[in-house]
Amino acid sequence: MENDSPVIYGLEFQTRALSAQTAETDIVRFLIGTQSLKFNNNQVHLVELNEETGSLKTQVFHHSIGEIWSLQASPTDPNVFITCYNTLNDDGSCQMKGALWKLPELKEYTNNIENLKNLAEIDTTPYGTDLKTIAYHPMDSTKAVSVVDNKFILWDLANGPQVTTSGTLASKGQPRFTNGKWNPHNGCNQFVTLNENNVRGWDFRNPSEASWTILSAHSQIIRDLDFNVNRQYILSTCGDDGYMKFWDIRSPSEPVLSRMEHSHWVWSIRINRFHDQLVLTSSSDSRVILCSIASISSESFGHIVSPEDDCTQNDYNCKKNKLEDGVVGRYEEHEDSVYAVEWSSADPWTFASLSYDGRLVLNKVPRKYKYQILL
C-alpha cells in the first residue's frame, strides 16, 4: 500500500457485516457478509491484502439461506465463522437465525462462487425472534453467546450446539438487547449487553442479575462497545448521539472521557489491541475517524528515554514526543453509512471499513503517527 493510499473493493450487494479473520495472524484477511433482498443471492466474501503490492485477492461463497446481519470469525480456526441471518419461512414470514460455517479448502482463489460447509445451526428461536448477534468467546471457539430479545444465551458449540447458561433482562416495557460483547478480562466470565442507552455487565456464574450497570450512558441508543484488552476496566461505547465514550466500570457514574467527532449516528467503535491509544469509529455520516486516546491508554506516559539517549541538560524529565489525544485521520472514501470497522488481526496498522452500498475500504495508520508511537 504505497504512500498509505486506500485500497477499495466493491461488492454487488448491500453490506453491513464485517469481521477480521481473527485466527489468521500472518495474512491480512477480512470476511464480509451481504444483504441482498433476494435471500438466495447472498454471499460471503473473503478478501486478502498483499501488503507489499496493495493488491487484493478475493473469493466468493454462497450464503443462499438469507441476508447476513452479523458475522464473526472464530478466534482459533481461520476457516470457521458464525453468521446471524434473516431468512424466509415457508409461510412467507421472515425470521432471524444463526449458523456455524466452514470455508472449503482452497488451493487458489478463483472466479467461481464456492459452497460453504454448514457445521451447525444455532437455533435461538425458542428464546425470541430479534436475534442481534452471536459472539464468540475471545479465546475459546467452543463457546459463544447469542443476544436475542431480552435474553443472552451461552452455547457449547462442541456438543450440539447446546445451551449451558442463560440470563434475562427483566424490566417494565419489554426491553430488548441491541448488542453484546464478551469482557476479555477476569477469565472471560463476564458478558456485557446494550439495551437502549444502558450498559450492563453479567457474570455467567450468577446470571440472574447484572454485576454492574451504566444507566443512561448516552442520550440516545448505544450501537456498539469495545474493551481495551490491555487495561482491565476500560470500556468504550458509541451511539446515536454522535459520541464515543470511555468508561471505568469500577466507577460508572461518569465517563472517563467523551468525544464527539461525527455528525450523525456512530455505529462501530474498535480499540487497537496492540496500540490501544488508537481508536476507530464509523458513522452514518459516511466517515471513518481514527483518534488517539493516549491519555487513558496503557502507554499513556509515553516511552521514557534512558539517560544514554540524546537529551539536553534541561530535559531532565526527557520523554519521546507522545501522541496527544485528538483526531489523527479522517477517511472519506465511503458514500453511504459505514456500519462496520475492524482492525486487522495480522497487521496492527491496517484496518477495514464497510459501508451499506457494498464498499470495503482498507487503510493504514498514517506513517508519521506510527513512527511516533513506535519510536
Side-chain angles (χ1 to χ4, degrees):
M1 295 173 68
E2 191 176 353
N3 298 324
D4 299 333
S5 55
V7 178
I8 299 175
Y9 174 63
L11 288 83
E12 180 182 355
F13 304 118
Q14 294 170 323
T15 53
R16 65 192 302 151
L18 171 69
S19 176
Q21 197 179 31
T22 315
E24 176 55 71
T25 57
D26 295 324
I27 304 168
V28 175
R29 288 193 186 131
F30 294 92
L31 291 164
I32 309 162
T34 68
Q35 278 201 322
S36 171
L37 292 177
K38 294 182 178 179
F39 284 8
N40 58 357
N41 284 347
N42 280 289
Q43 303 166 342
V44 171
H45 289 235
L46 175 63
V47 178
E48 177 181 316
L49 173 69
N50 184 318
E51 294 188 80
E52 293 183 1
T53 64
S55 61
L56 295 179
K57 291 198 299 184
T58 61
Q59 181 64 58
V60 184
F61 305 91
H62 290 291
H63 189 279
S64 53
I65 56 176
E67 55 176 4
I68 303 171
W69 282 79
S70 159
L71 183 153
Q72 191 169 119
S74 162
T76 58
D77 187 336
N79 295 315
V80 175
F81 60 95
I82 290 172
T83 60
C84 297
Y85 60 93
N86 193 22
T87 192
L88 196 62
N89 293 325
D90 293 337
D91 60 3
S93 63
C94 291
Q95 190 170 32
M96 289 292 297
K97 294 184 177 181
L100 188 64
W101 305 91
K102 185 169 186 177
L103 300 171
E105 187 175 335
L106 294 173
K107 294 182 179 178
E108 59 183 20
Y109 290 77
T110 71
N111 292 325
N112 300 327
I113 303 179
E114 303 289 343
N115 292 319
L116 297 167
K117 182 179 180 181
N118 188 327
L119 298 178
E121 298 293 329
I122 305 174
D123 186 11
T124 62
T125 53
Y127 300 93
T129 58
D130 192 15
L131 175 64
K132 291 299 186 183
T133 188
I134 301 176
Y136 266 116
H137 184 285
M139 294 172 288
D140 185 353
S141 58
T142 66
K143 297 178 181 178
V145 174
S146 61
V147 175
V148 55
D149 285 4
N150 65 334
K151 302 177 182 67
F152 60 93
I153 303 100
L154 176 61
W155 296 85
D156 177 3
L157 300 180
N159 299 292
Q162 63 183 19
V163 175
T164 59
T165 309
S166 64
T168 303
L169 175 60
S171 181
K172 294 179 180 179
Q174 296 181 319
R176 290 191 173 195
F177 292 129
T178 51
N179 207 342
K181 183 168 284 191
W182 290 78
N183 182 340
H185 303 290
N186 297 321
C188 299
N189 288 311
Q190 198 175 86
F191 191 74
V192 180
T193 60
L194 304 178
N195 77 292
E196 298 176 344
N197 59 350
N198 307 310
V199 188
R200 288 178 170 84
W202 308 81
D203 194 314
F204 286 117
R205 294 164 295 188
N206 181 23
S208 58
E209 59 179 308
S211 302
W212 52 267
T213 59
I214 307 175
L215 300 178
S216 300
H218 289 248
S219 61
Q220 298 179 48
I221 291 174
I222 307 175
R223 295 292 176 181
D224 198 16
L225 74 155
D226 198 24
F227 274 91
N228 185 331
V229 297
N230 302 311
R231 291 200 64 190
Q232 186 171 348
Y233 302 105
I234 298 299
L235 166 73
S236 62
T237 57
C238 64
D240 286 5
D241 57 3
Y243 277 92
M244 62 172 169
K245 296 186 178 184
F246 297 84
W247 307 85
D248 185 327
I249 60 175
R250 295 169 298 182
S251 52
S253 57
E254 292 290 336
V256 178
L257 187 148
S258 298
R259 295 187 69 94
M260 184 177 183
E261 304 295 348
H262 290 280
S263 59
H264 209 263
W265 304 343
V266 185
W267 281 95
S268 183
I269 186 165
R270 292 291 180 269
I271 301 172
N272 192 299
R273 294 174 58 86
F274 301 95
H275 306 288
D276 52 29
Q277 61 267 67
L278 297 174
V279 180
L280 286 166
T281 52
S282 66
S283 166
S284 299
D285 64 9
S286 305
R287 293 182 178 90
V288 174
I289 293 180
L290 173 63
C291 284
S292 164
I293 309 295
S295 61
I296 56 173
S297 77
S298 61
E299 299 181 356
S300 57
F301 299 108
H303 299 277
I304 305 298
V305 176
S306 67
E308 295 82 34
D309 286 322
D310 188 19
C311 293
T312 66
Q313 275 191 329
N314 293 331
D315 277 338
Y316 56 86
N317 203 20
C318 180
K319 296 178 183 178
K320 297 281 188 184
N321 291 329
K322 71 171 183 176
L323 205 56
E324 301 293 340
D325 286 4
V327 174
V328 297
R330 296 181 190 271
Y331 303 90
E332 301 189 359
E333 293 89 11
H334 293 283
E335 297 176 358
D336 206 338
S337 294
V338 188
Y339 283 127
V341 66
E342 294 286 351
W343 291 102
S344 165
S345 56
D347 175 24
W349 310 107
T350 300
F351 58 92
S353 53
L354 183 69
S355 52
Y356 189 59
D357 56 2
R359 180 177 295 185
L360 176 79
V361 181
L362 301 181
N363 271 296
K364 281 187 174 288
V365 175
R367 293 185 187 186
K368 67 175 182 177
Y369 298 114
K370 173 182 175 180
Y371 296 145
Q372 202 170 340
I373 290 170
L374 289 177
L375 294 178

